[in-house]
Amino acid sequence: MAVETKTWSGGGGASTLLKAALPSLPVVGQLPGVKKASPKGFEGLAFTRPTVTVERAHVDAYARVCGFPTKDVVPLPYPHMLAFPLHMAIMTDPAFPAPAIGTVHLENSITGHRPIRVGEALDVSARVGAPLPHPKGTIFEFVTEVHAGGELVWESTSTYLRRGRGDENASGGSVFPDADPTGIVWKLPADLGRTYAGVSGDANPIHLYPLTAKALGFDRQIAHGMWTMARCVAALENRLPGAVKVDVAFKKPVFLPGSVAFGCRVLDDGFAFSLSNPRNGAPHLAGRTWAL
């Protein structure tokens, strides 16, 4: 059976958050139009959006938040900003078998085939396939493709976990080489989650305020995983080629305000990098790059 493709034409904000939250609520989550479909038989779902032009103001705002310099090409992770509304459209669709709230971003892989210029017109699509087994539950792989004039210029795979009954024989995820401490420590402000939400559109309550984070089981707000990835890529940006692949795994959450230590090691074909707790070395992120 072919995967259904829908078109996202805008919207978001409070209505999207409501659609994300309602399926997780007792009683309400079982109502018609809110209740999620069964994972059995789910083969996938896809969304596209009308052609979008890369806007200078938005790129510059993203660059400032994530530590990139201002250039005439976009930072490598930036197209995720254009794809995120499609990810949310998939997650909040009744056909998708897992609530958006409580679904954990485990890993992300980005391939930039060439730099994307500010002002380029892009066609963005995202799709997810059938659920896959994981030792701690079920994973969903969201595949994003970005084309310019019919040319594939950027793609990514975002892996999300829905905790539950798992398969102990399934893969637990990617393994990355160690990255040596560099002595660089970044101090992160309490409002980082709100600032990043302002440019990314990802206003998940776990990132915003202590109260909203506690309601979802965290001691206080946590940084976005995609911000931690972007900040690491920004630290390496002037040493990466125009065609590059970057993979990361998100480990322990980064609480805000807080500090993270950046690690890096040169490999034969790229770099290994990491973020960790500067006090006890607990891992927050592990990653690596490949030159293409």
Side-chain angles (χ1 to χ4, degrees):
M1 180 184 295
V3 173
E4 181 181 6
T5 300
K6 301 182 180 182
T7 300
W8 179 83
S9 56
S15 63
T16 297
L17 283 176
L18 188 63
K19 290 172 66 177
L22 288 180
S24 299
L25 299 178
V27 182
V28 175
Q30 299 302 309
L31 295 176
V34 175
K35 184 179 180 179
K36 287 290 190 174
S38 168
K40 294 181 179 180
F42 177 75
E43 296 185 359
L45 184 61
F47 269 83
T48 63
R49 61 180 295 173
T51 300
V52 57
T53 300
V54 179
E55 297 180 353
R56 164 67 69 186
H58 191 228
V59 172
D60 288 354
Y62 174 84
R64 285 193 298 273
V65 172
C66 299
F68 289 94
T70 299
K71 292 186 174 182
D72 289 332
V73 296
V74 308
L76 177 68
Y78 174 79
H80 183 78
M81 303 298 96
L82 308 179
F84 180 73
L86 305 185
H87 288 199
M88 287 304 298
I90 291 172
M91 285 191 179
T92 57
D93 192 289
F96 183 70
I101 298 295
T103 299
V104 181
H105 198 174
L106 281 189
E107 297 190 8
N108 212 87
S109 174
I110 289 176
T111 300
H113 295 284
R114 68 156 173 83
I116 296 172
R117 299 181 302 277
V118 173
E120 276 200 84
L122 304 175
D123 294 308
V124 184
S125 63
R127 67 182 185 273
V128 65
L132 300 170
H134 185 273
K136 296 183 178 180
T138 300
I139 60 172
F140 297 89
E141 294 184 339
F142 284 62
V143 177
T144 299
E145 293 185 348
V146 177
H147 291 79
E151 173 193 9
L152 179 64
V153 294
W154 189 95
E155 57 187 313
S156 75
T157 300
S158 301
T159 303
Y160 294 93
L161 169 69
R162 189 69 191 177
R163 295 185 184 276
R165 184 176 180 179
D167 181 349
E168 62 181 14
N169 297 315
S171 170
S174 303
V175 177
F176 295 89
D178 293 334
D180 304 324
T182 62
I184 296 172
V185 175
W186 295 318
K187 294 183 178 180
L188 312 183
D191 65 351
L192 176 61
R194 300 191 293 276
T195 304
Y196 184 78
V199 297
S200 69
D202 184 356
N204 188 323
I206 63 175
H207 303 302
L208 303 182
Y209 299 96
L211 187 62
T212 57
K214 285 180 180 179
L216 294 170
F218 294 89
D219 290 339
R220 61 184 191 273
Q221 70 268 37
I222 63 173
H224 293 74
M226 288 304 292
W227 180 88
T228 63
M229 179 186 194
R231 187 64 188 89
C232 291
V233 173
L236 297 169
E237 191 250 5
N238 63 351
R239 290 177 280 176
L240 298 180
V244 64
K245 182 181 180 185
V246 178
D247 288 358
V248 299
F250 305 113
K251 304 294 186 178
K252 296 180 181 296
V254 177
F255 288 98
L256 301 172
S259 297
V260 290
F262 177 66
C264 181
R265 180 161 66 93
V266 178
L267 305 174
D268 290 341
D269 53 355
F271 297 90
F273 60 92
S274 66
L275 285 182
S276 60
N277 185 309
R279 296 189 303 277
N280 58 25
H284 294 302
L285 175 149
R288 66 162 299 168
T289 77
W290 286 268
L292 300 180

